[in-house]
Amino acid sequence: MQLQPKLIALQLLHLRNPALGEGLEEEMERDPRVCVMGEDVGHYGGSYKVTKGLATKFGDLRVLDTPIAENSFTGMGIGAAMTGLRPVVEGMNMGFLLLAFNQISNNCGMLHYTSGGQFTIPIVIRGPGGVGRQLGAEHSQRLESYFQSIPGIQMVACSTPYNAKGLMKAAIRSENPVILFEHVLLYNLKERIPDEDYICNLEEAELVRPGEDITILTYSRMRYHVMQAAKTLVNKGYDPEVIDIRSLKPFDLYTIGNSVKKTHRVLIVEECMRTGGIGASLTAAITENFHDYLDAPVMCLSSQDVPTPYAGTLEEWTVVQPAQIVTAVEQLCQ
């Protein structure tokens, strides 16, 4: 009986990310239309080993290594989706997908509408992003704000092994184009996930911690900064409610609204840039829909509007830290 936890631990420490990799593998087994394409996704296994072992199992046509040509292979994926396949396109780094912005905006998001409903685009575009550890400005992009205004695109951000697998599987099964944002610093997270098949709702937020005093809305890596701050806040006598919004487009205003109606105060914590970021859109949505329930203005903590520095100490200064979250809550709850 004591062997089982050890076996689970060994599985979690396997080189391939067990959550994203297992979710992708299970969907490829379930549906022969699912295929993967991107730079080094084949026998190398992807830049963060999400696709490790899939080329050996499914072959080079279903796990297709591409040239360094993001605009081309993203367009190829969109075309494959139009003709009946369910491609998963990996950007080696989310910043590189700026080279495919034309394909994502003018084709991926709009073709269902501009074709009069003749085509659906069941494609998943995924990859690592966010501020890592001294990866430099070009490899520390947060592109959520770039893509959120594109009509016809859904966007989700995973933050745990459980929701990473569930969102991956749900995105692959969706008839809509979905961008799945992964964070470079969360690939090594470990968590026991169910053996049975499950998916997560692409349009549903997750209540991480119930509370009464203030609603803290966050996603991706900032979930962990918020929970670290929450421990300090509880010791100081505050009772914060923490929600991982997960769905960046559309927002789950039902879950968010119920929390706002209970706490009457809102703090948004994001790693996205302050100007035109997810937090700005979320602030507008809360103000428009739940203004009468607010006892204080919505506050948003975001990354600074500067290129991410390479120097570690400067890099840390550009991203919201737990101490700033504690200070903001104390200010809002005065």
Side-chain angles (χ1 to χ4, degrees):
M1 294 297 294
Q2 295 180 349
L3 292 177
Q4 186 176 2
K6 294 182 180 179
L7 290 173
I8 292 172
L10 286 171
Q11 181 190 22
L12 290 171
L13 292 171
H14 195 271
L15 284 176
R16 192 184 74 218
N17 182 285
L20 289 164
E22 283 180 11
L24 183 53
E25 182 176 349
E26 288 174 11
E27 291 305 300
M28 293 184 75
E29 290 174 340
R30 188 187 68 87
D31 188 342
R33 298 174 297 171
V34 179
C35 56
V36 182
M37 57 188 70
E39 298 152 355
D40 286 335
V41 298
H43 294 281
Y44 183 74
S47 56
Y48 287 88
K49 303 305 178 185
V50 172
T51 57
K52 184 177 177 63
L54 296 184
T56 302
K57 183 172 184 177
F58 296 105
D60 294 339
L61 288 180
R62 290 188 68 189
V63 185
L64 182 64
D65 274 324
T66 66
I68 303 174
E70 287 80 5
N71 193 54
S72 298
F73 68 73
T74 303
M76 181 171 63
I78 295 167
M82 293 172 65
T83 56
L85 297 180
R86 307 186 83 84
V88 178
V89 173
E90 175 179 313
M92 183 178 286
N93 180 282
M94 275 303 202
F96 302 162
L97 289 178
L98 290 174
L99 297 166
F101 195 86
N102 173 62
Q103 293 286 2
I104 296 170
S105 60
N106 284 328
N107 294 325
C108 185
M110 298 187 188
L111 272 170
H112 181 65
Y113 174 80
T114 55
S115 69
Q118 295 180 77
F119 296 110
T120 55
I121 317 295
I123 188 173
V124 179
I125 299 172
R126 52 154 295 271
V131 177
R133 289 192 174 92
Q134 294 184 267
L135 297 179
E138 293 180 358
H139 289 72
S140 302
Q141 297 271 36
R142 286 81 83 197
L143 297 187
E144 305 96 292
S145 59
Y146 287 64
F147 293 120
Q148 67 173 323
S149 62
I150 299 174
I153 295 281
Q154 282 189 273
M155 303 196 314
V156 291
C158 57
S159 55
T160 69
Y162 178 86
N163 67 40
K165 180 177 179 179
L167 291 172
M168 170 74 86
K169 292 170 71 71
I172 291 172
R173 297 183 191 185
S174 175
E175 295 301 319
N176 299 314
V178 179
I179 301 179
L180 173 59
F181 292 93
E182 304 157 16
H183 199 287
V184 292
L185 294 183
L186 300 185
Y187 283 113
N188 290 326
L189 288 179
K190 299 174 177 63
E191 178 185 24
R192 294 185 65 172
I193 55 179
D195 292 328
E196 62 271 13
D197 186 52
Y198 72 92
I199 61 172
C200 294
N201 192 321
L202 292 174
E203 300 180 13
E204 190 175 273
E206 176 189 352
L207 177 61
V208 181
R209 184 192 187 279
E212 300 289 337
D213 293 342
I214 186 171
T215 298
I216 305 180
L217 303 174
T218 189
Y219 65 93
S220 190
R221 176 198 176 196
M222 285 296 110
R223 168 176 175 151
Y224 298 94
H225 283 211
V226 168
M227 291 307 294
Q228 186 176 337
K231 293 178 182 178
T232 304
L233 289 167
V234 169
N235 291 334
K236 291 190 172 194
Y238 297 97
D239 186 19
E241 179 150 295
V242 179
I243 294 176
D244 183 341
I245 62 173
R246 292 200 312 203
S247 176
L248 308 184
K249 184 182 179 182
F251 296 131
D252 178 6
L253 292 180
Y254 176 80
T255 300
I256 293 169
N258 284 340
S259 182
V260 173
K261 292 173 185 177
K262 177 175 63 173
T263 67
H264 309 293
R265 291 175 174 81
V266 178
L267 172 65
I268 300 168
V269 181
E270 62 176 350
E271 197 179 279
C272 199
M273 298 300 188
R274 182 168 185 81
T275 301
I278 295 296
S281 297
L282 191 52
T283 299
I286 293 170
T287 304
E288 289 172 3
N289 290 278
F290 309 111
H291 179 267
D292 291 344
Y293 297 96
L294 293 171
D295 289 343
V298 177
M299 183 181 292
C300 183
L301 297 178
S302 313
S303 292
Q304 296 185 34
D305 288 334
V306 296
T308 304
Y310 174 75
T313 51
L314 294 177
E315 178 185 72
E316 187 174 308
W317 274 96
T318 68
V319 178
V320 180
Q321 299 299 323
Q324 295 172 267
I325 300 169
V326 172
T327 300
V329 170
E330 290 175 331
Q331 180 180 338
L332 281 169
C333 292
Q334 285 180 349

